[in-house]
Amino acid sequence: MPHTPTTESRHARPGVSRVTRDIAATAQPLSFGDQPDLQALEAAIGDAQVVLLGEQNHGDGAAFAVKAQVIEHLHKKLGFDVLAFEADFFALQRSWDESVREADAGQLSRHVYYFWRDEPQVAPLWNLVQGRLSSNRPLIVIGIDVRHTGVYPKSLVADELESHLASNGVDLNEDWHQFRSLLDSLLEEEYSHRVNAKERMQFMDALWRLREQLDGNDRVSRFWRQELSNLVWTARNAWGFEGRDEG
């Protein structure tokens, strides 16, 4: 009897892994350009509110170019208005606020990793952010990484935290100076930061205590509560207890 190849057998070439065969069997084509066809993408997204966009490696220019077009489609056609990078939470939030005030998003990309900033394939993405900045639906850029890799001085975190605490009536006693010294050195030294067990415990206790004291529901207090939570994982990651993905 003649053999009719199955979907699996058609992709079962020697040396090809099962994962590769499964992808080849289920992948749906997308087309961009003057007549884009992203129906398969829209069907896969459905009514999801979060879409994760990965890449094979951080030097894949072709993936960057496609992702820039996908992001534009998600924003303009499907109503997605927040673009979250694996990048410095503190720096990107601060830089976004500056961008809105100055109607200029040119500094935002300085706070993401270089491969999402310097490659020519991502230029259209940053142009999109700038072009939408003053519209009624800007493409908001945020960071979700607990590492402080933006270009602001590391001491700015403690400077602005201290200012916010003081403006909210939080008493900065003598323990604050020790906490601030540890925070500054942690952010400057990161993976080379060394403290003893007692200092680690005091630092963590201070983070949670400060977070509890910032109980306001205003936007800035909510930001600082999140940043203080992030700093727990900044420290744990730098000290080698857990990776930052757990945070």
Side-chain angles (χ1 to χ4, degrees):
M1 295 178 60
H3 173 64
T4 302
T6 63
T7 299
E8 183 172 347
S9 67
R10 285 198 298 269
H11 297 283
R13 299 189 301 276
V16 177
S17 72
R18 176 64 181 270
V19 172
T20 301
R21 293 198 303 271
D22 288 347
I23 292 173
T26 59
Q28 297 293 316
L30 303 175
S31 78
F32 299 92
D34 295 334
Q35 295 182 318
D37 181 1
L38 302 180
Q39 290 183 6
L41 176 67
E42 294 181 7
I45 292 172
D47 59 359
Q49 296 182 309
V50 177
V51 176
L52 301 180
L53 299 176
E55 55 208 37
Q56 295 182 74
N57 60 63
H58 291 324
D60 190 345
F64 292 163
V66 168
K67 283 169 66 176
Q69 295 175 82
V70 167
I71 291 167
E72 181 172 10
H73 186 80
L74 292 175
H75 176 56
K76 291 184 175 180
K77 303 297 185 183
L78 300 185
F80 288 86
D81 290 341
V82 177
L83 175 60
F85 280 93
E86 182 188 353
D88 189 332
F89 170 83
F90 171 85
L92 275 176
Q93 182 60 65
R94 191 179 194 278
S95 187
W96 176 258
D97 290 342
E98 291 175 345
S99 299
V100 172
R101 286 196 303 269
E102 300 168 10
D104 183 359
Q107 300 301 307
L108 274 171
S109 64
R110 299 174 67 223
H111 303 287
V112 303
Y113 293 108
Y114 71 92
F115 37 80
W116 294 320
R117 176 185 68 234
D118 298 337
E119 301 304 323
Q121 292 87 351
V122 296
L125 174 59
W126 294 111
N127 292 338
L128 172 66
V129 172
Q130 177 62 52
R132 301 288 296 178
L133 184 61
S134 299
S135 72
N136 61 351
R137 277 186 54 234
L139 180 56
I140 301 168
V141 177
I142 64 171
I144 56 172
D145 196 353
V146 299
R147 293 187 67 204
H148 291 69
T149 53
V151 300
Y152 290 126
K154 305 306 182 191
S155 59
L156 188 63
V157 176
D159 287 343
E160 297 203 346
L161 174 57
E162 182 173 344
S163 175
H164 184 68
L165 291 169
S167 69
N168 281 265
V170 176
D171 181 29
L172 300 177
N173 56 31
E174 62 274 8
D175 293 338
W176 168 258
H177 300 291
Q178 181 184 14
F179 170 80
R180 170 163 187 154
S181 177
L182 282 171
L183 175 58
D184 285 341
S185 59
L186 168 67
L187 298 184
E188 286 286 354
E189 299 168 15
E190 197 177 17
Y191 294 117
S192 61
H193 190 242
R194 295 293 179 267
V195 288
N196 60 44
K198 180 180 178 181
E199 291 172 321
R200 289 197 300 267
M201 184 176 297
Q202 290 173 336
F203 183 77
M204 291 297 188
D205 286 346
L207 285 174
W208 290 120
R209 187 167 61 251
L210 291 171
R211 191 181 188 281
E212 290 173 355
Q213 290 176 288
L214 288 176
D215 56 0
N217 198 37
D218 59 287
R219 176 177 175 271
V220 179
S221 292
R222 293 197 305 270
F223 165 79
W224 278 111
R225 284 198 296 274
Q226 181 60 58
E227 172 63 4
L228 288 166
S229 296
N230 289 354
L231 286 168
V232 171
W233 292 96
T234 302
R236 294 187 69 83
N237 176 53
W239 296 336
F241 292 112
E242 278 129 340
R244 71 186 198 272
D245 290 344
E246 281 80 358

